[in-house]
Amino acid sequence: MLTLTEHLPRLRRYARALTGDRHTADDLVQDTVERALNKAALWRPGSRLDAWLTTLMHNIFVNQVRGSAGHQQSTTDSLDTLATEPSARATQADDLEVRDIHAALKLLSAEQREVLLLVSLEEYSYEETARILDIPVGTVMSRLSRARDRMRQLIDGATLKNPPMKVVK
C-alpha cells in the first residue's frame, strides 16, 4: 500500500506554484492522489515515490492545460497566502519581493517554470527532473539556465506590472 500522506505538502506546494491558484492546486493534488491510488500497481517499489507522484501531477497538469486551450486559469490567489507560517514575520518589503517573484514566475513559459520549480523549489536533481518531465537532461539544463536568466531580468527590471513612467513637460 502506498503511503501518500507524507508527500502531500510537497505535492501541494508544487501544484500551487504550477497553477498559481490555491483551489486549482488542491484539485490537482486530489486528481494526482486519485490517479496514484488507481495506478498503484505501476509504481516500482524501491524507486522514489515522490518523483513518481510528481510525474503523475505533471502529466495531469499538462493534460488539463491542453484540455483548456485558450482558457486562462484564475490566478487571484498569490503564493504569499500559503497555509504555512514563515519562520520570521515578513516585512512589507518582503511581501513586495514575493509578489514580484510570483509575477515573474507567471511570465515564464510553462516549460521553463516547471524546470525551475522542480530543481529550485522541490530540489530534484537534473536527472530526476528529466525523468519527471520526460525530457533529456541537457534540455533540463538549458531550460533552467534560460529560466534563471529570465527571472533575473524580470526581477532586476524593477517593475513587473507597471510600465516605466514617461517624463511629461
Side-chain angles (χ1 to χ4, degrees):
M1 184 67 177
L2 300 177
T3 55
L4 304 176
T5 310
E6 66 189 79
H7 301 288
L8 291 177
R10 177 179 241 185
L11 289 173
R12 188 163 190 270
R13 184 175 56 236
Y14 182 55
R16 183 76 182 269
L18 275 178
T19 65
D21 177 68
R22 175 175 46 153
H23 303 291
T24 306
D26 288 343
D27 290 344
L28 182 57
V29 170
Q30 182 176 345
D31 292 344
T32 302
V33 169
E34 180 182 4
R35 183 167 298 170
L37 292 173
N38 289 333
K39 307 277 185 178
L42 298 177
W43 178 66
R44 293 184 318 245
S47 64
R48 288 188 56 180
L49 180 58
D50 62 332
W52 184 69
L53 292 169
T54 305
T55 301
L56 289 176
M57 178 177 285
H58 167 75
N59 292 338
I60 292 168
F61 177 72
V62 168
N63 290 340
Q64 289 174 349
V65 169
R66 285 181 185 153
S68 65
H71 173 48
Q72 285 287 1
Q73 293 180 347
S74 169
T75 54
T76 55
D77 293 336
S78 62
L79 289 177
D80 55 349
T81 59
L82 288 172
T84 58
E85 288 293 321
S87 58
R89 186 180 171 134
T91 65
Q92 198 169 22
D94 292 339
D95 186 45
L96 293 174
E97 287 176 15
V98 168
R99 288 182 186 186
D100 283 349
I101 291 169
H102 181 61
L105 275 171
K106 288 172 27 177
L107 294 175
L108 293 178
S109 70
E111 292 84 11
Q112 289 177 355
R113 185 173 52 248
E114 289 168 345
V115 169
L116 182 68
L117 293 171
L118 287 172
V119 172
S120 301
L121 180 66
E122 298 302 330
E123 299 179 346
Y124 283 109
S125 70
Y126 293 170
E127 292 79 14
E128 291 168 327
T129 301
R131 278 193 299 276
I132 288 168
L133 300 177
D134 194 27
I135 58 176
V137 174
T139 304
V140 169
M141 294 166 57
S142 64
R143 285 182 186 175
L144 181 61
S145 176
R146 285 193 298 265
R148 286 176 173 163
D149 288 345
R150 181 73 175 131
M151 287 290 289
R152 219 173 279 116
Q153 290 170 354
L154 291 168
I155 291 170
D156 290 346
T159 0
L160 295 168
K161 297 177 187 171
N162 301 325
M165 296 177 72
K166 294 181 182 179
V167 176
V168 178
K169 294 183 182 184

